[in-house]
Amino acid sequence: MVTGATSLGMVRDELFATMEEAEQSLEHFIVDRNNGSLLQQAVEGLQQVRGTLNLIELAGAELLAQEIVQLATDIPVGAGEERDAHLAALSNALYVLGRYLEGVDASRQEMPEVLLPAINALRTASEQPPLPESFFFSARLDQARPERQAAVNAAASGDVRRLRQMYQVGLLGFIREDNLQAGLRLMTRALSRLDGVLGDRAGSRLCWIGAAAAESQLEGQLLSRQSRKQLFSRLDRELRQLIASPAYEPPRSLLKELLYLVALAESTGPLASQMREAFNLSPLPFTDHLLEEEYQRLAGPGQAVMRSLSSAIREELASLKDTLDLIERGAAQPEAFSGLHSLLGKLAKTLGMVGLSSAANTLHAQLPVVAEWSHERAPEPLALQKLADAVLYVESMVANLERGERRDTRRQIAQPGAEAEAFANHQLTEARIVVLDEAAAGLALAKRAITAYLESSGEKLHLANVPFSLNAVRGGLWFLGQERAAELIGACADYIQKDMMESAQMPSEQMLETLADALTSLEYYLEGGAALRHDQARASVLDLAADSVRALGLPVAA
């Protein structure tokens, strides 16, 4: 059978010529919008392109061409400014279609998934719902799940609500993108626990597949696209219905989208591996990062350009620091002073262009000061120090730009002349982060020890250092002023000491799971940085930990 990629070569020249004519007609219509013949020529050419793609069975390209034709047909002669967005979307879609067909012709391989952003841009312009990421993916959704152990406890309403709240807290971190890994771990644990608590209820299937999808998003390092945030948000809404109705049946479309994430991720996690075997999921011929590269190639420059630009800025900053060093040591040539002024002005303009206004203003404020410097009028040490502070501040801002974190730079904004204070505050924050990282590492160690204790049927040797480690974490949190988190961790340490190490009987599996819930919530709180930001929405995760500690039978202050 001749594939679409192979048969494209047979019609390539005529197809590309028709596309070029249609694109030119559309461009001329954009300039002369009262010329209906230009619009008609463009639509007829686009319809011919669509028919050709249908004939050679290039499914993704045909679908994009179909959306182009539909939107182009809806544009009236004499369209005003209200249609500018539609015309821009058409032009962009034609460009993407051409780039895609060129790639297919060169590689003889189809990858229709890379066209979904362009297709959805057209559907958005036409006020149609976007197509899901899994549109070109297929899987049997009625496969039976493997045998499993009986649920550890009945579906108590209090447990279910607490676990859904745990999922919501993790989801908030995922949506905000300020604590992706910890948030996804919290989501995975909450869904896995819900799956066990719900037992044989039909809705547990959603939790089972959802947990594998969240694990795949984490372990496979999938990109946090907006569509995936919406997918996991939709899952939360379905959880609400699942909890309310014992007869709840999960929507097949949602299960398919979740399974697509499992198939896409190159994850060896236990849940993902179980899912691949149960649903016989074959590896996809592409990865998430390959798709992203193709999106960028089709659409034009993206984050790679910003990284290259930030690298060039850092090189200029390094040159600026070298010049300052020469001036401070009195070894600078006369022309170094004028060069310094010119370089500062150039950098300030560049920083303003990429949106780092605070950094640009910082350098602008130094320009009149530096303009007075010369070989004969050497700068005062204090003036040199102020410029050095400004350069350090700018350097930290550029580092954020290179990591793609421009949305967070507002936290570091400083007024001109106060760069030293801003830099010092930044260093203090970094020190606090180190303490929190050590605390999170202590909690992770405790969780691993408890897992080993459970797997060894209660071998207490695994817990020997856990109370000591947790009390060290507790002390670090007291140092940071996090009294409530410190109290909760201390309560967990007490439970491990008294009910696990000193008790002759091993706690029930349900109680160990509840202890793990508490430690997972606390770990998320520390890794998320809520302890530094005093973020009330994120700090609510402490309420989850407190609920779990109370379920262990320990007193906790409200």
Side-chain angles (χ1 to χ4, degrees), residues 12 21 41 68 122 160 162 207 233 238 270 340 352 441 452 472 505:
R12 180 190 186 284
E21 291 174 1
Q41 290 170 16
I68 292 173
L122 293 173
V160 171
R162 176 170 59 83
C207 300
S233 297
E238 294 296 330
L340 178 63
Q505 185 176 1

Side-chain angles (χ1 to χ4, degrees), residues 474-540:
R474 178 186 182 185
L477 292 178
W478 274 106
F479 174 76
L480 293 176
Q482 295 296 316
E483 291 86 357
R484 189 182 183 206
E487 179 192 5
L488 293 171
I489 289 176
C492 292
D494 291 342
Y495 181 84
I496 293 170
Q497 181 69 43
K498 296 177 182 178
D499 293 72
M500 297 172 69
M501 297 184 67
E502 298 177 0
S503 173
Q505 185 176 1
M506 183 178 175
S508 68
E509 185 175 346
Q510 178 183 348
M511 297 299 282
L512 290 175
E513 288 284 5
T514 303
L515 174 62
D517 289 345
L519 292 175
T520 300
S521 300
L522 288 164
E523 184 181 27
Y524 173 80
Y525 176 75
L526 296 181
E527 290 187 3
L532 292 179
R533 295 194 298 273
H534 302 288
D535 185 337
Q536 292 301 319
R538 294 187 56 80
S540 64

Side-chain angles (χ1 to χ4, degrees), residues 15 19 42-55 58-75 89-90 93-94 96-98 100-101 115 118-126 128-129 131 135-136:
L15 177 62
M19 286 182 60
V43 170
E44 290 176 356
L46 294 171
Q47 288 174 335
Q48 185 177 340
V49 168
R50 174 192 170 190
T52 303
L53 294 173
N54 175 266
L55 181 65
L58 276 176
E62 182 200 353
L63 180 57
L64 177 56
Q66 177 181 332
E67 296 292 343
I68 292 173
V69 170
Q70 182 172 336
L71 184 58
T73 304
D74 291 339
I75 294 176
L90 282 174
L94 278 171
V96 169
L97 179 59
Y100 174 74
L101 292 175
L115 296 176
I119 291 171
N120 285 334
L122 293 173
R123 292 179 66 86
T124 299
S126 301
Q128 299 181 71
L131 299 180
F135 183 80
F136 295 104

